[in-house]
Amino acid sequence: MKKKLLIYAHYFYPDVASTGQILTELADGLKDTFDITVICVVPSYSGVVDEKYKSKRIYNEEYNGIKVVRVRVPEFEKGNKISRIKNLLAYFFNSLIATFKIKKQDYIFTISQPPILGGVIGVIGKWIKGGKLIYNIQDFNPEQTMAVGYVKNKPLLNLVMAVDKFSCKVSDKVIVVGRDMQETLKNRFNNKKVPTNSFINNWINENEIYPLKENHPKIISFKEKYNLQDKFVIMYSGNIGLYYDLENIIKVIGNFKDNTDVIFAFVGDGTVKSKIEEYVLSNKLDNVTFIPYQDKADLIYSLNAADVHWVVNAKGIKGVSVPSKLYGVMAVGKPVLGVLDKGSEARLIVEECNCGICVEPGDYEGIKNKITNIIENKEKIKLLGEKGRIYLENNLTKDVSINKYKEEILLTNTR
């Protein structure tokens, strides 16, 4: 008989959040080993909730043989803190109500989303339903918010740090997504009584995202639709949010506004997008374009449409988070323009396989020089991307990571 595994996913299919996609594929990969129940929000990553999900508190569904319990949340605006907090609290409390309605569990798996609450809900889930708790930290908080100065209230930061450390202590195992993040965990506990932990890379489905020829009809139509044809495309694809220093990087890009054969494409959305658009308009950067999020089925075409991809983190994010967009870039065999701290997981991978060039966050002159170098050595740079795909196939496939999760969950013992 299969062991029961409860996953608190926050976002889950069909939401396009990167953690939602990871957890959807993880649950799908584990369902032959475990009897899985997922608790998540109703589809709402965009901030909008469909009418059919507004009448009840809890919706019981099924996805590929996985029990999915969706909880109602209010709509929100990504740039509005209050509406976001209301949305997250609704997920937290409604998920607890949903937890009472399911059977006892052998394992509880939760992630660090929403920040702090993700860990707490796992702890409470363990108290309510029993089982061993696995806490998967995708981003360390409050370290992430501290790094970009999003919250500066010291007592509040100390409180949330204490809460998340407690979640780590109660967990039977903590799984992080980068080697640098293991160091952060050790530092949290001053190398004393560090919770049992391991590290497993995130992934992208390498059988769904792979290199395509430049003359592929879907790539040609994508380029025509967004006026990218006959241009050297340097692309940023993903969340245009707080933790990537894009407000300053766009100023560096401004130095290249007269390079008419180069175009800088931003694919996605997020809290910082309007600021960047404002800068582009006021400074007449005609070679910068904004493209909406692509459906998951079309991601392969947008990623392949670029010649080079940005993989960036703001200063101070080392050991706190790993930009998951790296795996998509490597999957399509494109070179990386990395703005990443030395010793960070993403930079370690780029340097190990030589699939791109990197510069320190905050080194704007260095970023400018790297872009110049790329433009002057276009063909040579393109060859680096092939090395990323080879490395990914050997070390970072979906099956490799999911099998590691399976082993780590099954090996989890209460201390």
Side-chain angles (χ1 to χ4, degrees):
M1 196 171 167
K2 290 181 189 174
K3 298 273 190 182
K4 288 184 172 57
L5 169 65
L6 170 61
I7 298 176
Y8 290 108
H10 190 204
Y11 290 113
F12 196 73
Y13 178 88
D15 275 324
V16 296
S18 58
T19 52
Q21 293 181 39
I22 286 283
L23 288 176
T24 300
E25 291 180 356
L26 179 62
D28 204 41
L30 296 176
K31 69 185 179 188
D32 291 338
T33 306
F34 302 97
D35 177 8
I36 298 175
T37 301
V38 173
I39 295 179
C40 60
V41 294
V42 297
S44 55
Y45 182 63
S46 65
V48 178
V49 176
D50 193 280
E51 284 301 319
K52 72 175 183 178
Y53 287 116
K54 289 183 176 178
S55 59
K56 296 192 296 182
R57 187 189 294 271
I58 294 169
Y59 297 82
N60 291 293
E61 300 178 354
E62 190 176 288
Y63 170 79
N64 281 2
I66 299 159
K67 293 186 282 290
V68 180
V69 182
R70 299 190 187 277
V71 300
R72 189 179 66 206
V73 288
E75 294 185 339
F76 67 94
E77 295 172 37
K78 293 207 172 189
N80 184 320
K81 276 188 194 179
I82 301 298
S83 74
R84 288 198 72 140
I85 289 168
K86 284 180 181 175
N87 177 278
L88 297 178
L89 289 174
Y91 163 67
F92 180 77
F93 288 111
N94 285 338
S95 292
L96 290 181
I97 292 167
T99 302
F100 277 104
K101 296 177 181 290
I102 64 174
K103 295 177 181 176
K104 289 281 183 186
Q105 298 291 311
D106 297 297
Y107 300 99
I108 308 284
F109 184 99
T110 193
I111 63 165
S112 54
Q113 296 293 334
I116 312 305
L117 296 180
V120 173
I121 202 168
V123 170
I124 298 172
K126 175 179 176 170
W127 290 343
I128 297 170
K129 292 297 167 186
K132 296 166 186 175
L133 175 60
I134 296 95
Y135 185 15
N136 178 213
I137 299 181
Q138 295 280 331
D139 310 288
F140 273 110
N141 272 296
E143 290 92 336
Q144 192 176 44
T145 51
M146 288 161 66
V148 295
Y150 188 59
V151 177
K152 292 177 179 171
N153 183 320
K154 272 279 175 69
L156 177 63
L157 290 169
N158 289 338
L159 173 65
V160 295
M161 176 67 87
V163 171
D164 206 56
K165 281 176 70 175
F166 178 75
S167 297
C168 291
K169 281 180 191 173
V170 173
S171 299
D172 299 290
K173 182 169 286 176
V174 175
I175 299 178
V176 295
V177 295
R179 288 162 277 186
D180 53 343
M181 292 177 71
Q182 283 186 297
E183 291 305 309
T184 301
L185 185 66
K186 288 175 189 170
N187 292 338
R188 270 190 170 191
F189 291 91
N190 298 315
N191 284 317
K192 296 171 188 169
K193 294 186 178 176
V194 180
T196 303
N197 65 89
S198 60
F199 127 74
I200 303 173
N201 284 111
N202 280 344
W203 66 87
I204 196 159
N205 188 335
E206 75 285 354
N207 297 316
E208 289 180 1
I209 307 293
Y210 48 84
L212 294 171
K213 288 193 165 69
E214 286 181 25
N215 62 357
H216 190 286
K218 288 282 185 78
I219 295 176
I220 290 171
S221 64
F222 177 85
K223 285 188 171 184
E224 285 174 348
K225 185 175 182 180
Y226 297 108
N227 298 315
L228 307 178
Q229 64 270 48
D230 303 318
K231 303 281 187 185
F232 186 80
V233 182
I234 300 177
M235 182 180 286
Y236 177 93
S237 178
N239 178 23
I240 305 173
L242 288 167
Y243 307 112
Y244 311 106
D245 197 28
L246 296 173
E247 309 99 303
N248 288 309
I249 286 173
I250 195 67
K251 294 172 186 173
V252 178
I253 289 171
N255 290 292
F256 298 90
K257 68 178 181 179
D258 296 326
N259 291 61
T260 53
D261 60 335
V262 176
I263 192 159
F264 296 88
F266 288 83
V267 182
D269 205 344
T271 49
V272 178
K273 185 181 177 184
S274 57
K275 284 185 189 173
I276 298 175
E277 284 178 313
E278 222 172 85
Y279 186 87
V280 168
L281 279 172
S282 59
N283 290 275
K284 297 178 181 169
L285 306 188
D286 296 331
N287 63 346
V288 176
T289 189
F290 294 90
I291 298 169
Y293 267 121
Q294 300 300 294
D295 290 338
K296 193 181 177 191
D298 295 328
L299 185 62
I300 183 172
Y301 308 119
S302 64
L303 290 176
N304 269 286
D307 295 292
V308 173
H309 278 274
W310 292 95
V311 176
V312 303
N313 261 344
K315 195 77 185 164
I317 298 294
K318 175 190 171 185
V320 171
S321 176
V322 179
S324 56
K325 61 177 65 63
L326 172 65
Y327 305 108
V329 176
M330 293 172 72
V332 294
K334 299 294 181 180
V336 170
L337 170 51
V339 184
L340 302 160
D341 281 300
K342 282 179 186 166
S344 64
E345 180 63 27
R347 183 154 175 174
L348 288 171
I349 291 170
V350 172
E351 290 174 346
E352 278 165 15
C353 64
N354 190 27
C355 68
I357 53 178
C358 292
V359 61
E360 286 288 302
D363 180 5
Y364 304 117
E365 190 62 30
I367 295 169
K368 180 184 166 187
N369 292 339
K370 295 297 183 190
I371 296 172
T372 302
N373 182 28
I374 285 168
I375 293 169
E376 290 174 355
N377 299 280
K378 292 173 187 165
E379 295 310 312
K380 190 178 172 186
I381 292 293
K382 281 183 183 180
L383 296 173
L384 297 179
E386 296 169 12
K387 297 178 181 180
R389 175 70 196 191
I390 293 165
Y391 184 91
L392 180 130
E393 287 176 357
N394 291 330
N395 302 281
L396 299 171
T397 64
K398 183 179 83 161
D399 287 347
V400 164
S401 289
I402 288 176
N403 283 330
K404 285 180 181 176
Y405 271 103
K406 192 183 297 181
E407 288 167 16
E408 289 292 347
I409 293 169
L410 289 170
L411 288 170
T412 301
N413 292 307
T414 44
R415 289 165 289 151

